[in-house]
Amino acid sequence: MTDAIKIDVWSDIACPWCYIGKRNLENGLAAASADDDAPKVEVVYHSFELSPDTPVDFDGGEADYLATHKGISPEQAQQMLDRVTGVARDAGLEYRFDLLKHTNTVKAHELLHFAEEQGRQHEMAERLMSAYFTEGRHLGDHDELASLASDAGLDAEQAREALSSGRYLPAVRADQAQATAYGINGVPFFVIDGKYGVSGAQPAEAFSQIVRQVWTERQETADVEA
């Protein structure tokens, strides 16, 4: 039996293109799963902080942050947000930058590693991104994160203790070190089967195509070895 294709995804929960890429990946894999010989796929999310120097309580809106961070005018920043909001809508996501609370994401990444250990990483990633981009939740706040962990099927008190202890920070740093080793300097970034790198929020069809291609390669190799 052919092993599952592993897709390692480097992303930041505060990256608007990462949520779009996540949804496009899911839709692409769903399309491929309808094939007669559907590829088996395992997806694992890894930590990448786009702006590790961001304060937990950022004073200003998302356009203010973009203007300062990228050295552009507030008008240009708003145009960027309007564009990504339109792309997100095409992916079935309703971004609310008017509600968004910009924050440091390291604790959210620690929570994702806690969730992975509990077998709920996918649920946690979805809940965090939805909370951040569509609900205006403060993902730098431990109480908010614990509440979102509960929404994802985890124990809120255990999640709060995990965040307070900082014991998942080394796992976050290990993900970041691996990204550096791979030469990843922007997200989302997808490493498929340990050998194909895909950068950016590609269309769903692109993900369907590559997993089908890798699955066919896997089976051809298995047939030769048999």
Side-chain angles (χ1 to χ4, degrees):
M1 183 176 292
T2 307
D3 293 336
I5 298 166
K6 187 178 181 187
I7 301 180
D8 293 289
V9 185
W10 271 264
S11 66
D12 192 347
I13 60 92
C15 163
W17 294 104
C18 291
Y19 197 10
I20 294 167
K22 178 180 184 295
R23 188 62 85 246
N24 287 350
L25 172 65
E26 291 164 348
N27 290 337
L29 295 181
S33 72
D35 295 354
D36 290 337
D37 183 23
K40 295 194 292 288
V41 180
E42 174 194 5
V43 179
V44 178
Y45 290 94
H46 299 278
S47 302
F48 191 102
E49 289 180 274
L50 282 171
S51 302
D53 56 345
T54 301
V56 172
D57 295 303
F58 179 78
D59 184 17
E62 188 67 359
D64 299 317
Y65 167 77
L66 267 181
T68 302
H69 188 67
K70 293 186 174 293
I72 58 179
S73 71
E75 292 76 19
Q76 289 173 310
Q78 190 57 53
Q79 288 172 1
M80 290 177 65
L81 295 180
D82 291 343
R83 174 173 174 258
V84 75
T85 297
V87 177
R89 189 174 295 115
D90 291 341
L93 303 168
E94 291 296 328
Y95 282 4
R96 292 292 306 273
F97 286 111
D98 57 320
L99 301 177
L100 189 147
K101 292 182 173 62
H102 199 80
T103 188
N104 188 288
T105 60
V106 70
K107 286 298 175 183
H109 285 295
E110 290 180 37
L111 186 59
L112 278 170
H113 281 279
F114 168 73
E116 181 183 13
E117 195 174 80
Q118 303 294 317
R120 306 291 292 180
Q121 190 195 44
H122 287 206
E123 295 85 353
M124 193 71 258
E126 178 64 28
R127 190 68 194 97
L128 288 170
M129 288 183 168
S130 175
Y132 188 75
F133 285 108
T134 73
E135 301 168 34
R137 303 284 286 272
H138 191 333
L139 298 198
D141 181 87
H142 286 203
D143 289 337
E144 284 272 56
L145 289 171
S147 175
L148 294 170
S150 178
D151 292 346
L154 298 164
D155 183 276
E157 289 308 313
Q158 289 181 8
R160 186 179 283 105
E161 187 279 326
L163 293 171
S164 298
S165 72
R167 68 176 182 272
Y168 292 94
L169 183 58
V172 174
R173 299 301 182 226
D175 275 355
Q176 293 168 330
Q178 183 63 68
T180 299
Y182 277 149
I184 299 170
N185 52 26
V187 288
F189 195 93
F190 307 82
V191 177
I192 299 171
D193 214 29
K195 57 184 179 180
Y196 297 109
V198 177
S199 178
Q202 300 295 323
E205 297 77 14
F207 290 116
S208 300
Q209 180 180 351
I210 194 166
V211 294
R212 286 170 173 144
Q213 174 190 329
V214 172
W215 192 244
T216 299
E217 291 173 0
R218 284 279 200 87
Q219 292 177 312
E220 289 173 350
T221 299
D223 289 343
V224 170
E225 292 176 348

